[in-house]
């Protein structure tokens, strides 16, 4: 599972602190040093770590925590609060359009889990909101992409609008939106093309689709296993598209997890969902406070 190494190290540090009858300034400094190393080791962005340590240290010192009762416990509480803040404070719900359809654009690099996540999200909307979503297949560069979306869609009984691979994706989306209006679908989920890396042609196309549809959500799907690349990808997509949220996939994998924890702090954009498995049911709303507690163990 993600965060195992980090949890273990943080627990050790906190345990050491708890055993001290009195926590001195030197103890606090040592604790902060260990936390800093643990976060860096877990691949949390170095700048995010720096700010985090500074804040925790200031709170622990400023509030006269060390002189109070149970200083160790209070420091754990501060660390928990700041981990929560780092990841976004509260859960960020999906934006909804005042009039149907709500348009959700799924973007991300190839293999991040875009198509799978589109399916998971549609299923969630169907089950929790009794929604009637429709997919638009706008990835025309890999013939297998449309087939894959179709398979995902069939498994959850959601219609797909597709025009094969010979039509311009922007035109496909335009016609798909008309189709959704006729069918009165309340959600349109656009599966856009992924690339191995961010390139201008990909971004231009995404910008055009954005301008055409004015999406309520531009969800960037990132693979938590890709470490700092996930952070760089998020910055790149956000610069070009002004994304509305992030979905972190593959958190069930053996990732150190720190990069994922940094995305919110680096981009300012909320993590809205996490994927923790390949099945259609494996998509959860992201709660920063629960994640912080899980990390602290
Ligand atoms: P796309 O190229 O971005 O559309 O990526 P896909 O949706 O095709 O996903 C790529 C691979 O990642 C597939 O094998 C998925 O089953 C897998 N995948 C997606 N999300 C998750 C997840 O949360 N956990 C795990 N373990 N695998 C995932």
């Amino acid at each position: 599972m993600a965060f195992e190494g980090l949890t273990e190290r943080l627990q050790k540090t906190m345990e050491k602190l708890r055993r001290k009858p009195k926590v001195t300034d030197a103890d606090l400094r040592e604790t902060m040093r260990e936390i800093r190393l643990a976060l860096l080791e877990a691949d949390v962005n170095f700048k995010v770590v720096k700010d985090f340590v500074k804040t925790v240290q200031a709170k622990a010192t400023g509030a006269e925590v060390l002189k109070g009762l149970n200083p160790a416990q209070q420091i754990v509480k501060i660390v928990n609060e700041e981990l929560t803040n780092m990841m976004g404070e509260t859960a960020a719900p999906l934006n909804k359009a005042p009039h149907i359809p709500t348009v959700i654009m799924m973007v991300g690099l190839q293999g991040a889990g875009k198509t799978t996540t589109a399916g998971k999200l549609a299923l969630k909307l169907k089950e929790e909101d009794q929604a009637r979503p429709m997919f638009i297949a706008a990835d025309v560069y890999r013939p297998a992409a449309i087939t894959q979306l179709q398979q995902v869609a069939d498994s959850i009984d959601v219609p797909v609008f597709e025009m094969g691979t010979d039509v311009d994706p922007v035109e496909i989306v335009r016609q798909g939106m008309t189709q959704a209006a006729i069918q009165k679908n309340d959600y349109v989920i656009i599966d856009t093309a992924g690339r191995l890396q961010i390139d201008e042609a990909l971004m231009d196309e995404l910008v055009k689709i954005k301008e055409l549809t004015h999406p309520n959500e531009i969800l960037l799907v990132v693979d938590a296993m890709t470490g700092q690349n996930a952070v760089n990808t998020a910055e790149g997509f956000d610069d070009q598209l002004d994304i509305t949220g992030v979905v972190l996939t593959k958190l069930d994998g053996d990732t150190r997890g720190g990069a994922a924890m940094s995305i919110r702090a680096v981009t300012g954009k909320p993590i809205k969902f996490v994927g923790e498995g390949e099945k259609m049911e494996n998509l959860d709303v992201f709660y920063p406070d629960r994640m912080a507690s899980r990390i602290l163990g």
Side-chain angles (χ1 to χ4, degrees), residues 85-154:
N85 279 343
M86 179 202 284
M87 293 185 289
E89 291 170 56
T90 53
L94 210 55
N95 295 330
K96 226 171 157 174
H99 308 290
I100 67 164
T102 292
V103 178
I104 303 173
M105 229 176 122
M106 310 295 297
V107 302
L109 297 182
Q110 196 174 307
K114 212 170 350 84
T115 306
T116 311
T117 305
K120 290 174 174 179
L121 189 57
L123 179 64
K124 209 177 199 39
L125 292 167
K126 267 184 75 162
E127 288 186 339
E128 292 172 15
D129 290 358
Q130 283 75 50
R132 294 175 50 248
M134 184 192 88
F135 293 118
I136 297 178
D139 183 353
V140 299
Y141 305 102
R142 286 186 312 135
I146 300 178
T147 316
Q148 192 200 345
L149 178 63
Q150 194 81 58
Q151 281 166 355
V152 164
D154 286 349

Side-chain angles (χ1 to χ4, degrees), residues 208-230:
K208 282 185 191 145
I209 295 174
K210 176 184 173 176
E211 285 168 354
L212 175 72
T213 59
H214 302 291
N216 305 92
E217 286 282 0
I218 301 179
L219 289 180
L220 172 68
V221 179
V222 291
D223 179 343
M225 304 285 286
T226 60
Q228 288 304 320
N229 279 338

Side-chain angles (χ1 to χ4, degrees), residues 20 37 41 59 84 86-87 92 116 120 127 130 133 153-154 163-164 171 210 245 248 254 256 259-260 271:
K20 295 195 186 291
L37 287 174
E41 180 71 18
K59 279 194 168 179
T84 305
M86 179 202 284
M87 293 185 289
T116 311
K120 290 174 174 179
E127 288 186 339
Q130 283 75 50
D154 286 349
M163 297 177 74
E171 183 54 29
K210 176 184 173 176
L248 276 181
D254 193 17
R256 287 179 289 165
I271 298 168

Side-chain angles (χ1 to χ4, degrees), residues 33-84:
R33 197 184 70 85
E34 285 177 13
I35 291 177
R36 189 174 140 264
L37 287 174
L39 291 172
L40 287 174
E41 180 71 18
D43 205 22
V44 177
N45 179 280
F46 75 97
K47 203 181 156 300
V48 175
V49 173
K50 210 170 140 194
D51 291 345
F52 177 86
V53 169
K54 216 165 114 187
T55 312
V56 173
Q57 190 137 21
K59 279 194 168 179
T61 317
E64 307 226 336
V65 166
L66 302 189
K67 289 186 208 136
L69 284 174
N70 275 326
Q73 206 174 322
Q74 291 196 53
I75 290 168
V76 173
K77 191 167 159 261
I78 294 170
V79 170
N80 190 323
E81 278 167 12
E82 286 312 309
L83 278 179
T84 305

Side-chain angles (χ1 to χ4, degrees), residues 84 87 285 287-295:
T84 305
M87 293 185 289
V285 171
Y287 294 98
D289 51 345
R290 291 185 202 170
M291 192 56 87
S293 300
R294 171 169 147 191
I295 289 168

